[in-house]
Each structure stands twice: as C-alpha cells, then as structure tokens.
Amino acid sequence: MSPKTPVMIDIETLSVRANAAIVDIGACTPDGKCFSAYINPAAYDTEPFSMDQKTIEWHMETNSDNWNNYINSKMFNVEDALDLLSKFLSDVCPDKDNLIVWAKGPQFDLTILDHAHRIYNRPLPWKYYNVRDFRTVASMFPDIVEEVAPNTNKHGGLSDAIHQLKCLERVYNHLGLELE
C-alpha cells in the first residue's frame, strides 16, 4: 500500500454560501510545504458566486491585519489560483489516490472549492473519498487541540491551515497514529 499524503486546506470567502467568492486559499503538508493564493474579488463573474456585505464587514472587523496583507499582496484571478492549487497538490502527491485532503469543515471549504472548479471547468484535484474533517477530530479531542499554541493570525487561509495541521498532528501523536 502506497503512503498517503495529507494536506490541510483552508479558504477565506466573501460569503458563507456554497457558491461563495473565494479570496484566500491556503494549504500545507506535515513536511512544511505550503501554498497560498489571494484572489482578486474583481475577477469574479457575479452570477455564479456570492458575496455579501455582512461577511465582508465581519472580516474587516475580525482581523483587519489580514485584510491589509490581502490588499497589499499579489492577487490572482480565480482560474489561475485554482490551477496553482492543483499544481501544488499534484507536486506534493502525484497520485491523487494517495492524496488525503483535510479541512475544518469540508462542507464549507471543499464544497466552495468544488463549486469554483466546476464553474471554471477544472477537474477536482482530489478524490471525493479522500476528504477528511478536522472539525470533527478537534471536537473529539478538545483538550489536546488546546495544547497547541493559539493561532495569532486567524482568518488567513495559510495561517489557519498551518494551525489546524499542527492541532491535527498533536491529536494523531497522542493516539500513536501516523497522520494520513
């Protein structure tokens, strides 16, 4: 059996709907490989993606530092960001059957990414049966997750992915398991 390659993915969006406009994608592996892409909201066709003022205001109030970083960073259009994510995932795990994708609530992050891939006719870079839910693991082992230093840069795609992966690794180590 080939070894599995776990990757934690986190996104930031301008809505909480399944067709939300994505503005930040972060991903990381246990061996320290990282991916980050900011997406220019002006690059979206408004019809297939949702944006709502309440979510935008929440982001600006919750962590203005991330939004300042976002505004001052290189931005991609949606298609390029999706292609770059796919390339990153393919580089870290050339065999999609061995790629295990984690998210804190795949029904949010991965559902929204799936929507964007479909809209832009891009193949999904992971197998549906290799999706894992960090939120469930974290709720089962809250004391162990709390042992990890808090994320001081919340609501940034890459910083959230890195923090979630550290928490997940702590739980797996506690259980004496190898992360997959």
Side-chain angles (χ1 to χ4, degrees):
M1 188 164 141
S2 298
K4 303 293 184 186
T5 302
V7 177
M8 182 69 72
I9 295 178
D10 189 82
I11 64 172
E12 299 302 322
T13 65
L14 297 180
S15 167
V16 294
R17 298 180 64 191
N19 66 339
I22 304 163
V23 292
D24 186 5
I25 304 172
C28 60
T29 64
D31 62 357
K33 294 180 181 88
C34 294
F35 170 83
S36 180
Y38 294 108
I39 299 171
N40 186 344
Y44 283 98
D45 297 328
T46 55
E47 185 73 22
F49 295 97
S50 72
M51 299 181 199
D52 70 65
Q53 191 62 34
K54 191 173 183 177
T55 302
I56 295 167
E57 289 170 1
W58 178 86
H59 276 294
M60 293 170 76
E61 291 169 11
T62 303
N63 196 339
S64 60
D65 288 343
N66 276 339
W67 284 95
N68 288 333
N69 290 340
Y70 169 74
I71 290 166
N72 295 314
S73 295
K74 177 179 180 177
M75 292 189 204
F76 297 93
N77 65 36
V78 187
E79 300 97 323
D80 289 345
L82 295 175
D83 291 344
L84 289 167
L85 174 62
S86 292
K87 182 176 179 348
F88 171 78
L89 294 173
S90 176
D91 287 348
V92 299
C93 186
D95 182 357
K96 251 189 348 185
D97 286 326
N98 291 319
L99 177 65
I100 305 297
V101 177
W102 287 86
K104 187 174 183 180
Q107 286 300 97
F108 185 78
D109 300 70
L110 301 183
T111 297
I112 293 169
L113 283 167
D114 177 71
H115 170 75
H117 279 84
R118 281 186 285 109
I119 292 297
Y120 290 104
N121 296 311
R122 300 298 198 268
L124 201 57
W126 57 80
K127 300 281 188 170
Y128 72 91
Y129 52 79
N130 281 343
V131 169
R132 306 290 187 267
D133 183 8
F134 168 68
R135 188 182 308 275
T136 299
V137 172
S139 71
M140 294 169 64
F141 300 95
D143 294 340
I144 296 167
V145 168
E146 287 177 13
E147 292 173 4
V148 176
N151 182 3
T152 58
N153 189 22
K154 291 181 181 177
H155 310 299
L158 181 57
S159 62
D160 285 353
I162 290 169
H163 184 259
Q164 290 160 194
L165 184 61
K166 286 179 183 176
C167 293
L168 184 62
E169 288 177 308
R170 179 69 61 96
V171 170
Y172 267 68
N173 287 339
H174 173 80
L175 297 172
L177 299 171
E178 189 168 329
L179 180 59
E180 70 166 44

